Amino acid sequence: MSFFKYLKTITVSTMSFVITIALIGGCSSQQKGEIGNQDAASKVYVAPGQHDEFYSFMSGGWSGNVSVYGIPSGRHLYSIPVFSQAPINGYGYTEETKAMLNTSFGFIPWGDTHHIQPSKTNGDYDGRWVFINDRNTPRIARIDLKTFRTDEIIEIPNTAGQHSSAFCSSNTEYISANTEYSIPLDKPLGNGVDVPISSYKENFHGTVSLIKVNQETGEMNIGFQIQVPPFDYDLGRFGLGVSKDWVFYTMYNTEEAHTLLEVNASQKDKDFVLAINWKKAEQAAADGKGQVVDANYDHNMRDHETGIAKTEVMKQVRVLKPSDLEGAIYYMPAPKSPHGINVSPDGEYISEGGKLSTVVPVQSFSKMQTAIQNNDTTGSIKGIPILKYESVLAYEVKNAGLGPLHIEYDGQGHGYNSDFISSEIVKWDLKTGEVLDRHPAYYSTGHLTVAGGDTRHPYGKYLIALNKITKDRYLPTGPEMYAGEQLFDISGDKMKLLLDFPVEGEPHNAAEIEASLIDSAQVKFFKLSDNKNPYVTRNEHDTKVVKDGNRVDVYMTAIRSHFTPDNIEGIKVGDTVYLHVTNIEQEWDIPHGFAMKGNRNAGMLIIPGETRTIVWKPQSPGIYPFYCTDFCSALHQEMQGYVRVSPANSNVPIKYGTNKDI
Ligand code: K7E
Ligand code: CUA
C-alpha cells in the first residue's frame, strides 16, 4: 500500500468514526428511521479531493433550471441555467444568451422543469446531452454535457401544460413531448381558438409531438405531431430492447372535464396508457400522411462559431391523425388517473403508478403484441382501439402502498415504486410482482430514480427518493424550503437509507450518469483564436470605444487583473452602451466578472476565450465605476474602472485608455 493510499484509509475510517459518533448521539434521527451507522457514513463519504461516482442531473421544478449533484456524496456541483434567467452568470441577460428565451409569446424568463432525460445509444446513456421540458411554456431544451450549457430550446406548438415530456428513444432518434392541458386548435385541426370553455369535448385537442434529433449535432426539429383526444397526457417512456420501436404515455381525464378536475377527472375506474409504434408513425409521416399545417413557434440555437444564440421562427408542422396510424396506435386501460410510467430494461414490462389505486399494474409487451394480432379489443376512442386490460396485463403489484406515483427498475430483476401518500419506497420482484421490501421515505415521494434506471443496463447501485415535503429534515429556513432527497443503497436484499440532502427548487425527476462518461470530455476554456463573436477583442491593442449616434460599442478585454480600457469618457445620457468584454485568459477556471454601477441589468461572467455583451443605458450624468465580480487573483479588488457619463447635450469627446490620462 502506498503511503498516500494508507493516509487515505486512515482519513476515511477516522471520518466515518466521527460521523458515526455524531449519528449515534442524535437519537431523534434514529427515530426518523436512519440506519445511522458507520456503514452508511462510509458509503456516502467522498474524501476531500476525491470525485463522486455519478453525476445526478435534477430538474429544478419552478427554478426553471437543472441542478447537478454528485452521488453518493450529495454535493451540489452546479446549476445549469435553462429556461430561467440566471443573474449568477448573466444567462438570459447578455446579448449572446437572450435569444435562448425567445418564444412565440415573446421573451419568457422563467420555466418549470420536470423531466430530464439523457441521450442514449443502444438504450444506454452516452454522455452527450440531456433534454428537459418546460411545462408552462411548452418547450424543450438540449444541454450539452461537454460544457453543461443550454445549447438549444425549441417551442412545441399546439400543446399546453407540456408535462408528458421530454423522453428520449433508445438511440436518441426522437424526443417526445405531449399536451397535458388540451386546448382548442386553429383550422384545419380545430374550429379556432376563441371558443367557450364549456365546448371542451367538441373543440379541445391533445397532441403528441415527436422531435427528431440530429445524430451529429443534436439539433432538434419537430418531426411530426399526432392529434389525439383531449385527455391529460401525463408521463411517458420510450420502450427499450424488444419494445424500442414503441412509446408509452399515461393519461388521466378521459372524462374530458374542464373544471374541478380533482373530482370530475376521477370519475371513471380506468384511464389509459397510449401506446404508439413511433417507427410506423415516422414512416407514415415520411409517406406524406397527415397534413402540414401553419404554426408559429420559436427555435433557439446557440451558434457554435460566434457563441451567440439566434432565434428562427418556424412556420409549419406536420400533423397526423390516428386514422393515419392504423396498427400503430392503441390504448391500454390503466387504473384511474395513472401518473408515472416506466419500461423495464429488457423492454418487456410496462408499469404505471396509479396514484388513486393501491396496485401497480404491470403490462407485458409480448402480451400486448399478441392482443394486437388477435384484435383483442373492447371498442375504440376516436379511431384508437382499446386493448383488453386482462389481455395485456402481466400482473398487478398488490400492497404497493398508497398513492403510487413513479416506478424504476434496477436491472437485477426488481421494480421499485414510490408512494406519495404512505411515504415509502416499495421493492418488488419484476417477474411476479411479489413485494420483497419496503422502506419509509421522508416525506411524500414523487419520482424516484435508480442510477441508470431507464436504460438497458441500469447501474443499480443507488436509488434516490425525490421527496416533496421536507418539514423537519433540515434546519428550517422559514416558510419556504427546498425539497429533500434521500439516497438508498439498493445493492443488497434490503434497501438502506444512506443520506438526506436538500436540493434546489423541486426536482421532479433526476438521472444519474456515471462520471466517467462525462468528466474526461469537459471543455475547460475556449480558444481565443476560435472566437468568432463579431465583437471579440483578442488583445489589448485592439480595444476601442466606437460611438455611432446614440449607440456606443465598448470593445474591452479582461485579464488578471485589469480591464482595457478602464477609463472611458464621452458617453452621454441617452446613449445605449454595449459593453463587449472578452476574457483573454487561456486557462481553466479563470473567469472574470463584470458589473456596472446602476445598470438595470445583471452582471455577467466571462469564461476564458469568450466574449460577453451586456447593455447599459446610463440614466444620469456622473462617474460610474465598474469592476470584476469574480475573485480572480490576489489583485482582484484592483480590477476596476470608471466611465464618465455626461449630459446629453455635452460635447465631451470619446476618449479611453488604461494606465494613462485620457
Ligand atoms: Cu411526478 Cu412532473 Cu414527473 Cu412531479 S412529476 S413528481
Ligand atoms: Cu477579474 Cu476579479
Side-chain angles (χ1 to χ4, degrees), residues 239-263:
L240 285 166
V242 290
S243 56
K244 72 175 178 351
D245 294 350
W246 290 75
V247 59
F248 307 93
Y249 308 106
T250 51
M251 73 197 61
Y252 59 98
N253 196 21
T254 50
E255 294 85 352
E256 304 182 20
H258 56 81
T259 182
L260 197 64
L261 266 67
E262 65 169 322
V263 175

PDB file of all heavy atoms in Angstrom, residues 239-263:
ATOM      1  N   GLY A 239     -39.998   2.672 -25.276  1.00  0.00           N
ATOM      2  CA  GLY A 239     -39.643   1.293 -24.980  1.00  0.00           C
ATOM      3  C   GLY A 239     -38.135   1.114 -25.048  1.00  0.00           C
ATOM      4  O   GLY A 239     -37.383   2.001 -25.465  1.00  0.00           O
ATOM      5  N   LEU A 240     -37.704  -0.062 -24.613  1.00  0.00           N
ATOM      6  CA  LEU A 240     -36.287  -0.432 -24.668  1.00  0.00           C
ATOM      7  C   LEU A 240     -36.236  -1.847 -25.234  1.00  0.00           C
ATOM      8  O   LEU A 240     -37.229  -2.584 -25.152  1.00  0.00           O
ATOM      9  CB  LEU A 240     -35.690  -0.450 -23.266  1.00  0.00           C
ATOM     10  CG  LEU A 240     -35.396   0.894 -22.583  1.00  0.00           C
ATOM     11  CD1 LEU A 240     -35.134   0.673 -21.101  1.00  0.00           C
ATOM     12  CD2 LEU A 240     -34.200   1.581 -23.231  1.00  0.00           C
ATOM     13  N   GLY A 241     -35.113  -2.247 -25.758  1.00  0.00           N
ATOM     14  CA  GLY A 241     -34.959  -3.636 -26.201  1.00  0.00           C
ATOM     15  C   GLY A 241     -36.097  -4.068 -27.112  1.00  0.00           C
ATOM     16  O   GLY A 241     -36.339  -3.448 -28.146  1.00  0.00           O
ATOM     17  N   VAL A 242     -36.840  -5.091 -26.699  1.00  0.00           N
ATOM     18  CA  VAL A 242     -37.907  -5.629 -27.556  1.00  0.00           C
ATOM     19  C   VAL A 242     -38.968  -4.587 -27.902  1.00  0.00           C
ATOM     20  O   VAL A 242     -39.607  -4.668 -28.944  1.00  0.00           O
ATOM     21  CB  VAL A 242     -38.613  -6.859 -26.922  1.00  0.00           C
ATOM     22  CG1 VAL A 242     -37.675  -8.054 -26.912  1.00  0.00           C
ATOM     23  CG2 VAL A 242     -39.128  -6.544 -25.520  1.00  0.00           C
ATOM     24  N   SER A 243     -39.144  -3.615 -27.041  1.00  0.00           N
ATOM     25  CA  SER A 243     -40.209  -2.624 -27.281  1.00  0.00           C
ATOM     26  C   SER A 243     -39.661  -1.284 -27.776  1.00  0.00           C
ATOM     27  O   SER A 243     -40.357  -0.273 -27.723  1.00  0.00           O
ATOM     28  CB  SER A 243     -41.025  -2.425 -25.999  1.00  0.00           C
ATOM     29  OG  SER A 243     -40.193  -2.060 -24.923  1.00  0.00           O
ATOM     30  N   LYS A 244     -38.447  -1.272 -28.263  1.00  0.00           N
ATOM     31  CA  LYS A 244     -37.809   0.021 -28.537  1.00  0.00           C
ATOM     32  C   LYS A 244     -38.466   0.843 -29.650  1.00  0.00           C
ATOM     33  O   LYS A 244     -38.232   2.043 -29.750  1.00  0.00           O
ATOM     34  CB  LYS A 244     -36.317  -0.136 -28.782  1.00  0.00           C
ATOM     35  CG  LYS A 244     -35.923  -0.767 -30.102  1.00  0.00           C
ATOM     36  CD  LYS A 244     -34.402  -0.716 -30.202  1.00  0.00           C
ATOM     37  CE  LYS A 244     -33.779  -1.340 -31.416  1.00  0.00           C
ATOM     38  NZ  LYS A 244     -34.572  -2.107 -32.329  1.00  0.00           N
ATOM     39  N   ASP A 245     -39.293   0.206 -30.466  1.00  0.00           N
ATOM     40  CA  ASP A 245     -39.982   0.962 -31.512  1.00  0.00           C
ATOM     41  C   ASP A 245     -41.266   1.626 -31.002  1.00  0.00           C
ATOM     42  O   ASP A 245     -41.967   2.284 -31.765  1.00  0.00           O
ATOM     43  CB  ASP A 245     -40.352   0.047 -32.684  1.00  0.00           C
ATOM     44  CG  ASP A 245     -39.114  -0.465 -33.405  1.00  0.00           C
ATOM     45  OD1 ASP A 245     -38.004   0.038 -33.118  1.00  0.00           O
ATOM     46  OD2 ASP A 245     -39.249  -1.382 -34.239  1.00  0.00           O
ATOM     47  N   TRP A 246     -41.566   1.417 -29.736  1.00  0.00           N
ATOM     48  CA  TRP A 246     -42.812   1.942 -29.189  1.00  0.00           C
ATOM     49  C   TRP A 246     -42.547   3.022 -28.162  1.00  0.00           C
ATOM     50  O   TRP A 246     -41.468   3.105 -27.589  1.00  0.00           O
ATOM     51  CB  TRP A 246     -43.615   0.814 -28.530  1.00  0.00           C
ATOM     52  CG  TRP A 246     -44.182  -0.156 -29.531  1.00  0.00           C
ATOM     53  CD1 TRP A 246     -43.485  -1.122 -30.213  1.00  0.00           C
ATOM     54  CD2 TRP A 246     -45.538  -0.237 -29.985  1.00  0.00           C
ATOM     55  NE1 TRP A 246     -44.327  -1.808 -31.054  1.00  0.00           N
ATOM     56  CE2 TRP A 246     -45.594  -1.291 -30.932  1.00  0.00           C
ATOM     57  CE3 TRP A 246     -46.705   0.459 -29.677  1.00  0.00           C
ATOM     58  CZ2 TRP A 246     -46.777  -1.649 -31.581  1.00  0.00           C
ATOM     59  CZ3 TRP A 246     -47.880   0.097 -30.311  1.00  0.00           C
ATOM     60  CH2 TRP A 246     -47.908  -0.941 -31.253  1.00  0.00           C
ATOM     61  N   VAL A 247     -43.590   3.831 -27.963  1.00  0.00           N
ATOM     62  CA  VAL A 247     -43.525   4.825 -26.893  1.00  0.00           C
ATOM     63  C   VAL A 247     -44.862   4.748 -26.152  1.00  0.00           C
ATOM     64  O   VAL A 247     -45.901   4.448 -26.754  1.00  0.00           O
ATOM     65  CB  VAL A 247     -43.210   6.233 -27.457  1.00  0.00           C
ATOM     66  CG1 VAL A 247     -44.232   6.717 -28.460  1.00  0.00           C
ATOM     67  CG2 VAL A 247     -43.031   7.258 -26.342  1.00  0.00           C
ATOM     68  N   PHE A 248     -44.810   4.950 -24.831  1.00  0.00           N
ATOM     69  CA  PHE A 248     -45.988   4.749 -23.969  1.00  0.00           C
ATOM     70  C   PHE A 248     -46.238   5.999 -23.132  1.00  0.00           C
ATOM     71  O   PHE A 248     -45.284   6.573 -22.586  1.00  0.00           O
ATOM     72  CB  PHE A 248     -45.752   3.558 -23.035  1.00  0.00           C
ATOM     73  CG  PHE A 248     -45.352   2.302 -23.766  1.00  0.00           C
ATOM     74  CD1 PHE A 248     -44.008   1.994 -23.956  1.00  0.00           C
ATOM     75  CD2 PHE A 248     -46.312   1.438 -24.276  1.00  0.00           C
ATOM     76  CE1 PHE A 248     -43.630   0.845 -24.637  1.00  0.00           C
ATOM     77  CE2 PHE A 248     -45.940   0.285 -24.963  1.00  0.00           C
ATOM     78  CZ  PHE A 248     -44.590  -0.011 -25.147  1.00  0.00           C
ATOM     79  N   TYR A 249     -47.506   6.373 -23.019  1.00  0.00           N
ATOM     80  CA  TYR A 249     -47.849   7.557 -22.229  1.00  0.00           C
ATOM     81  C   TYR A 249     -49.006   7.249 -21.285  1.00  0.00           C
ATOM     82  O   TYR A 249     -49.980   6.621 -21.692  1.00  0.00           O
ATOM     83  CB  TYR A 249     -48.298   8.711 -23.131  1.00  0.00           C
ATOM     84  CG  TYR A 249     -47.357   9.037 -24.255  1.00  0.00           C
ATOM     85  CD1 TYR A 249     -47.669   8.686 -25.561  1.00  0.00           C
ATOM     86  CD2 TYR A 249     -46.164   9.704 -24.016  1.00  0.00           C
ATOM     87  CE1 TYR A 249     -46.818   8.998 -26.614  1.00  0.00           C
ATOM     88  CE2 TYR A 249     -45.297  10.018 -25.058  1.00  0.00           C
ATOM     89  CZ  TYR A 249     -45.626   9.659 -26.348  1.00  0.00           C
ATOM     90  OH  TYR A 249     -44.781   9.963 -27.374  1.00  0.00           O
ATOM     91  N   THR A 250     -48.917   7.766 -20.056  1.00  0.00           N
ATOM     92  CA  THR A 250     -50.079   7.699 -19.174  1.00  0.00           C
ATOM     93  C   THR A 250     -50.956   8.918 -19.417  1.00  0.00           C
ATOM     94  O   THR A 250     -50.489   9.951 -19.912  1.00  0.00           O
ATOM     95  CB  THR A 250     -49.680   7.716 -17.686  1.00  0.00           C
ATOM     96  OG1 THR A 250     -48.797   8.813 -17.466  1.00  0.00           O
ATOM     97  CG2 THR A 250     -49.025   6.428 -17.268  1.00  0.00           C
ATOM     98  N   MET A 251     -52.217   8.793 -19.045  1.00  0.00           N
ATOM     99  CA  MET A 251     -53.107   9.947 -19.152  1.00  0.00           C
ATOM    100  C   MET A 251     -54.233   9.817 -18.143  1.00  0.00           C
ATOM    101  O   MET A 251     -54.582   8.712 -17.705  1.00  0.00           O
ATOM    102  CB  MET A 251     -53.695  10.029 -20.541  1.00  0.00           C
ATOM    103  CG  MET A 251     -54.745   8.978 -20.795  1.00  0.00           C
ATOM    104  SD  MET A 251     -55.045   8.792 -22.518  1.00  0.00           S
ATOM    105  CE  MET A 251     -53.450   8.289 -23.060  1.00  0.00           C
ATOM    106  N   TYR A 252     -54.772  10.972 -17.776  1.00  0.00           N
ATOM    107  CA  TYR A 252     -55.959  10.984 -16.934  1.00  0.00           C
ATOM    108  C   TYR A 252     -56.961  11.908 -17.620  1.00  0.00           C
ATOM    109  O   TYR A 252     -56.726  12.399 -18.719  1.00  0.00           O
ATOM    110  CB  TYR A 252     -55.619  11.434 -15.501  1.00  0.00           C
ATOM    111  CG  TYR A 252     -55.012  12.809 -15.402  1.00  0.00           C
ATOM    112  CD1 TYR A 252     -55.798  13.911 -15.087  1.00  0.00           C
ATOM    113  CD2 TYR A 252     -53.654  13.018 -15.626  1.00  0.00           C
ATOM    114  CE1 TYR A 252     -55.245  15.180 -14.997  1.00  0.00           C
ATOM    115  CE2 TYR A 252     -53.104  14.282 -15.546  1.00  0.00           C
ATOM    116  CZ  TYR A 252     -53.899  15.363 -15.230  1.00  0.00           C
ATOM    117  OH  TYR A 252     -53.364  16.616 -15.159  1.00  0.00           O
ATOM    118  N   ASN A 253     -58.084  12.123 -16.937  1.00  0.00           N
ATOM    119  CA  ASN A 253     -59.148  12.954 -17.506  1.00  0.00           C
ATOM    120  C   ASN A 253     -59.682  12.429 -18.831  1.00  0.00           C
ATOM    121  O   ASN A 253     -59.923  13.185 -19.772  1.00  0.00           O
ATOM    122  CB  ASN A 253     -58.705  14.424 -17.650  1.00  0.00           C
ATOM    123  CG  ASN A 253     -59.888  15.364 -17.865  1.00  0.00           C
ATOM    124  OD1 ASN A 253     -61.030  15.024 -17.526  1.00  0.00           O
ATOM    125  ND2 ASN A 253     -59.632  16.527 -18.444  1.00  0.00           N
ATOM    126  N   THR A 254     -59.897  11.113 -18.886  1.00  0.00           N
ATOM    127  CA  THR A 254     -60.625  10.590 -20.044  1.00  0.00           C
ATOM    128  C   THR A 254     -62.093  11.001 -19.934  1.00  0.00           C
ATOM    129  O   THR A 254     -62.870  10.826 -20.860  1.00  0.00           O
ATOM    130  CB  THR A 254     -60.504   9.053 -20.133  1.00  0.00           C
ATOM    131  OG1 THR A 254     -60.838   8.498 -18.858  1.00  0.00           O
ATOM    132  CG2 THR A 254     -59.100   8.646 -20.488  1.00  0.00           C
ATOM    133  N   GLU A 255     -62.453  11.589 -18.768  1.00  0.00           N
ATOM    134  CA  GLU A 255     -63.798  12.147 -18.592  1.00  0.00           C
ATOM    135  C   GLU A 255     -63.962  13.431 -19.405  1.00  0.00           C
ATOM    136  O   GLU A 255     -65.072  13.914 -19.605  1.00  0.00           O
ATOM    137  CB  GLU A 255     -64.046  12.476 -17.108  1.00  0.00           C
ATOM    138  CG  GLU A 255     -64.093  11.251 -16.192  1.00  0.00           C
ATOM    139  CD  GLU A 255     -62.704  10.794 -15.721  1.00  0.00           C
ATOM    140  OE1 GLU A 255     -61.689  11.318 -16.225  1.00  0.00           O
ATOM    141  OE2 GLU A 255     -62.629   9.920 -14.852  1.00  0.00           O
ATOM    142  N   GLU A 256     -62.851  14.018 -19.828  1.00  0.00           N
ATOM    143  CA  GLU A 256     -62.855  15.287 -20.583  1.00  0.00           C
ATOM    144  C   GLU A 256     -63.473  16.414 -19.773  1.00  0.00           C
ATOM    145  O   GLU A 256     -64.270  17.221 -20.265  1.00  0.00           O
ATOM    146  CB  GLU A 256     -63.546  15.119 -21.944  1.00  0.00           C
ATOM    147  CG  GLU A 256     -62.896  14.011 -22.768  1.00  0.00           C
ATOM    148  CD  GLU A 256     -63.510  13.827 -24.144  1.00  0.00           C
ATOM    149  OE1 GLU A 256     -64.173  14.754 -24.642  1.00  0.00           O
ATOM    150  OE2 GLU A 256     -63.310  12.754 -24.727  1.00  0.00           O
ATOM    151  N   ALA A 257     -63.087  16.482 -18.518  1.00  0.00           N
ATOM    152  CA  ALA A 257     -63.566  17.558 -17.649  1.00  0.00           C
ATOM    153  C   ALA A 257     -62.737  18.815 -17.893  1.00  0.00           C
ATOM    154  O   ALA A 257     -61.577  18.737 -18.295  1.00  0.00           O
ATOM    155  CB  ALA A 257     -63.453  17.135 -16.195  1.00  0.00           C
ATOM    156  N   HIS A 258     -63.347  19.967 -17.634  1.00  0.00           N
ATOM    157  CA  HIS A 258     -62.609  21.220 -17.794  1.00  0.00           C
ATOM    158  C   HIS A 258     -62.696  22.086 -16.548  1.00  0.00           C
ATOM    159  O   HIS A 258     -62.237  23.219 -16.529  1.00  0.00           O
ATOM    160  CB  HIS A 258     -63.112  21.992 -19.013  1.00  0.00           C
ATOM    161  CG  HIS A 258     -64.588  22.253 -18.965  1.00  0.00           C
ATOM    162  ND1 HIS A 258     -65.117  23.285 -18.241  1.00  0.00           N
ATOM    163  CD2 HIS A 258     -65.621  21.583 -19.526  1.00  0.00           C
ATOM    164  CE1 HIS A 258     -66.441  23.247 -18.364  1.00  0.00           C
ATOM    165  NE2 HIS A 258     -66.770  22.223 -19.137  1.00  0.00           N
ATOM    166  N   THR A 259     -63.305  21.552 -15.496  1.00  0.00           N
ATOM    167  CA  THR A 259     -63.356  22.293 -14.239  1.00  0.00           C
ATOM    168  C   THR A 259     -63.377  21.308 -13.075  1.00  0.00           C
ATOM    169  O   THR A 259     -63.838  20.170 -13.230  1.00  0.00           O
ATOM    170  CB  THR A 259     -64.590  23.229 -14.211  1.00  0.00           C
ATOM    171  OG1 THR A 259     -64.581  23.974 -12.990  1.00  0.00           O
ATOM    172  CG2 THR A 259     -65.904  22.455 -14.317  1.00  0.00           C
ATOM    173  N   LEU A 260     -62.841  21.744 -11.950  1.00  0.00           N
ATOM    174  CA  LEU A 260     -62.733  20.910 -10.747  1.00  0.00           C
ATOM    175  C   LEU A 260     -62.284  19.488 -11.102  1.00  0.00           C
ATOM    176  O   LEU A 260     -62.941  18.504 -10.785  1.00  0.00           O
ATOM    177  CB  LEU A 260     -64.057  20.877  -9.962  1.00  0.00           C
ATOM    178  CG  LEU A 260     -63.897  20.376  -8.510  1.00  0.00           C
ATOM    179  CD1 LEU A 260     -63.034  21.311  -7.673  1.00  0.00           C
ATOM    180  CD2 LEU A 260     -65.239  20.177  -7.842  1.00  0.00           C
ATOM    181  N   LEU A 261     -61.132  19.421 -11.710  1.00  0.00           N
ATOM    182  CA  LEU A 261     -60.653  18.123 -12.178  1.00  0.00           C
ATOM    183  C   LEU A 261     -60.410  17.142 -11.039  1.00  0.00           C
ATOM    184  O   LEU A 261     -60.479  15.935 -11.235  1.00  0.00           O
ATOM    185  CB  LEU A 261     -59.374  18.292 -13.013  1.00  0.00           C
ATOM    186  CG  LEU A 261     -59.618  18.385 -14.518  1.00  0.00           C
ATOM    187  CD1 LEU A 261     -60.355  19.648 -14.889  1.00  0.00           C
ATOM    188  CD2 LEU A 261     -58.333  18.257 -15.296  1.00  0.00           C
ATOM    189  N   GLU A 262     -60.113  17.662  -9.844  1.00  0.00           N
ATOM    190  CA  GLU A 262     -59.823  16.740  -8.740  1.00  0.00           C
ATOM    191  C   GLU A 262     -61.011  15.806  -8.480  1.00  0.00           C
ATOM    192  O   GLU A 262     -60.834  14.703  -7.998  1.00  0.00           O
ATOM    193  CB  GLU A 262     -59.404  17.488  -7.463  1.00  0.00           C
ATOM    194  CG  GLU A 262     -60.485  18.351  -6.858  1.00  0.00           C
ATOM    195  CD  GLU A 262     -60.105  18.850  -5.460  1.00  0.00           C
ATOM    196  OE1 GLU A 262     -59.499  18.089  -4.702  1.00  0.00           O
ATOM    197  OE2 GLU A 262     -60.428  20.008  -5.140  1.00  0.00           O
ATOM    198  N   VAL A 263     -62.190  16.286  -8.814  1.00  0.00           N
ATOM    199  CA  VAL A 263     -63.376  15.437  -8.692  1.00  0.00           C
ATOM    200  C   VAL A 263     -63.784  14.897 -10.068  1.00  0.00           C
ATOM    201  O   VAL A 263     -63.942  13.698 -10.279  1.00  0.00           O
ATOM    202  CB  VAL A 263     -64.556  16.238  -8.087  1.00  0.00           C
ATOM    203  CG1 VAL A 263     -65.825  15.384  -8.080  1.00  0.00           C
ATOM    204  CG2 VAL A 263     -64.207  16.707  -6.685  1.00  0.00           C
TER     205      VAL A 263
END
